Amino acid sequence: FAHLDFTLLQGVDLAIQMFDRHAITRHLASQKVPWFLIGDGPDAPEGAAGLIHVDRCAVAGKFADHCRKVKVKSVLQVGVIPHDADVLGALEERGVKAKEWLLHDGVEFQRIDEVQRCALEAFEKRIAAEGRRWLPDVFFFKDDFVAAGAMTALLRNGVKIPEDVRVATWANKGLGPVYSRSFTRMEMDPLVHGEKIAGWILRYLKGGSLPKRMTIGPVYIRGETL
């Protein structure tokens, strides 16, 4: 943390930690510069000025209600890391059968191309081994780059969407994935959220205080794939 410590000495009024990294959290807590976390929470870390909680499951209920309304019988949730957008609980509460397939817990999640390739190879391998009999009514992709890799494999093997299998995905606005039909998605908008966060920071720097917890999350958008 030598470079971080040097930077904090340069008249920094507020530090912002992106994502939950416990070693960084502990180190910032030992410094004199006020800081807050943008992460999974649910509570602000000890010593933090506040938390911006990224509620990835904020619209899981809306997705589950949609599945029940259109008589979905089975959902397969697909991702590369355990903690992320999770719809299993909401589906279970509504009587929709759901399972999770974690493709590779050791994937370097910061590498977009690695995440996409991990999904592409996993789907190609499973289709080659099992054909189509394992396909659910609906795939829910916990990450948009997982969706991009998986969709490539599905389409290359002649699986039609939504005719053969329906799809919903987590999505960051402006980052895809791209398909000929609009995706049903849980969508984060970085520009909208950035504007909210900037407002909170400016009020703090003008002498205000940060609430111990603020929340941002996705909106549910019904597209053509479910």
Side-chain angles (χ1 to χ4, degrees), residues 11-180:
V12 173
D13 295 306
L14 180 67
I16 304 167
Q17 178 186 343
M18 291 288 295
F19 310 116
D20 297 84
R21 301 288 186 271
H22 298 305
I24 299 174
T25 298
R26 288 193 298 270
H27 189 76
L28 286 173
S30 69
Q31 306 303 302
K32 295 181 179 180
V33 175
W35 62 282
F36 72 86
L37 170 68
I38 302 176
D40 296 329
D43 300 311
E46 185 176 351
L51 166 74
I52 294 180
H53 173 223
V54 183
D55 187 356
R56 302 177 190 277
C57 303
V59 292
K62 292 183 178 181
F63 167 74
D65 288 339
H66 181 180
C67 287
R68 185 173 60 179
K69 182 178 180 180
V70 298
K71 296 180 172 54
V72 167
K73 294 181 180 179
S74 62
V75 176
L76 183 58
Q77 176 173 282
V78 184
V80 293
I81 54 176
H83 62 280
D84 216 329
D86 192 324
V87 299
L88 298 183
L91 289 167
E92 183 179 346
E93 289 175 1
R94 291 157 178 81
V96 179
K97 183 180 178 181
K99 294 182 179 180
E100 182 169 55
W101 181 21
L102 289 178
L103 303 181
H104 185 353
D105 194 16
V107 70
E108 176 50 59
F109 197 65
Q110 306 307 318
R111 286 280 305 276
I112 292 173
D113 60 338
E114 187 173 337
V115 174
Q116 290 188 204
R117 183 163 296 281
C118 171
L120 170 63
E121 292 176 352
F123 271 70
E124 287 278 11
K125 184 177 180 180
R126 189 160 181 178
I127 292 170
E130 302 181 45
R132 297 189 182 188
R133 65 180 181 272
W134 62 280
L135 295 179
D137 284 350
V138 174
F139 280 116
F140 173 69
F141 295 108
K142 298 168 68 176
D143 176 81
D144 36 10
F145 302 117
V146 170
M151 291 279 291
T152 299
L154 290 168
L155 295 171
R156 191 161 75 178
N157 284 276
V159 178
K160 296 180 180 179
I161 299 164
E163 291 84 359
D164 296 330
V165 64
R166 289 172 281 182
V167 166
T169 184
W170 174 274
N172 291 286
K173 189 173 183 178
L175 293 181
V178 175
Y179 183 52
S180 59

